[in-house]
């Protein structure tokens, strides 16, 4: 017993930092070297002229509910790291894909993450062998809002 307690303490000492690592937020992925970032906040979204329809879709329904748009893109080494980090984040969020599509090596997955009143997120995650793109729409919209846009 005297040998087991120090051994357990030693194991806990070296393994506890592994469990204490905080999963990154999606916005922190912009710090990965080689990742291109475009972030549009509510103030800029309000300056964009209102467009009634885009390809027959009523966009006004969603525009007032949108708080921000974040676009991340990485190629080569940055794509590898960006893809791995995003998969860890999605795993930690415990979300199920809304849609998955695969075509000639490109995989695209859509997710909806419900948060507080204005913190819902619609995530589009696209992976190719040498490129990863992530688009995050954040706002007070619901899955029904997205469904209405898609079904028109």
């Amino acid at each position: 017993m005297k040998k087991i307690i120090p051994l357990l303490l030693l194991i806990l000492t070296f393994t506890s930092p592994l469990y204490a690592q905080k999963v990154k937020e999606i916005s922190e992925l912009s710090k990965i070297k080689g990742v291109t970032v475009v972030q549009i906040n509510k103030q800029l979204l309000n300056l964009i002229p209102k467009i009634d329809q885009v390809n027959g879709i009523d966009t006004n329904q969603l525009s007032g509910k949108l708080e921000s748009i974040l676009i991340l893109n990485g190629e080569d080494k940055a794509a590898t790291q960006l893809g791995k980090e995003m998969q860890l984040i999605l795993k930690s969020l415990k979300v199920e894909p809304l849609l998955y599509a695969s075509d000639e090596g490109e995989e695209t997955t859509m997710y909806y993450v419900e948060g507080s009143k204005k913190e819902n997120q619609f995530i589009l995650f696209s992976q190719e062998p040498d490129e990863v793109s992530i688009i995050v729409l954040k706002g007070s919209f619901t899955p029904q809002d997205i469904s209405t846009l898609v079904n028109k």
Side-chain angles (χ1 to χ4, degrees), residues 17-150:
L18 297 175
Y19 294 109
Q21 288 180 349
K22 181 182 176 249
V23 174
K24 292 181 179 180
E25 295 285 327
I26 295 174
S27 61
E28 291 180 42
L29 298 178
S30 64
K31 297 175 185 173
I32 295 173
K33 185 177 181 179
V35 170
T36 303
V37 182
V38 176
Q39 189 161 8
I40 305 169
N41 64 19
K42 180 77 171 180
Q43 290 78 18
L44 183 57
L45 289 169
N46 287 335
L47 294 175
I48 297 172
K50 299 287 185 210
I51 301 172
D52 289 337
Q53 292 195 349
V54 175
N55 293 331
I57 298 172
D58 182 10
T59 57
N60 284 330
Q61 190 172 7
L62 190 60
S63 63
K65 298 179 179 184
L66 199 56
E67 293 293 317
S68 66
I69 301 172
L70 174 64
I71 303 168
L72 303 167
N73 188 63
E75 295 179 357
D76 303 320
K77 287 182 182 181
T80 303
Q81 187 176 357
L82 184 59
K84 285 180 182 178
E85 295 286 343
M86 186 62 188
Q87 288 176 350
L88 287 173
I89 290 171
L90 291 168
K91 187 176 180 180
S92 74
L93 292 172
K94 299 177 182 172
V95 292
E96 294 292 322
L98 295 176
L99 174 121
Y100 172 80
S102 179
D103 182 36
E104 296 183 17
E106 181 179 358
E107 297 179 347
T108 301
T109 313
M110 291 184 202
Y111 300 90
Y112 177 76
V113 181
E114 191 168 355
S116 66
K117 202 172 195 177
K118 292 189 177 188
E119 292 297 319
N120 295 334
Q121 296 179 62
F122 180 71
I123 302 168
L124 181 65
F125 180 34
S126 180
Q127 292 184 287
E128 295 179 51
D130 60 346
E131 184 176 5
V132 170
S133 297
I134 300 166
I135 301 173
V136 181
L137 305 177
K138 191 179 278 188
S140 60
F141 50 82
T142 65
Q144 291 78 19
D145 295 327
I146 301 296
S147 170
T148 302
L149 290 176
V150 173

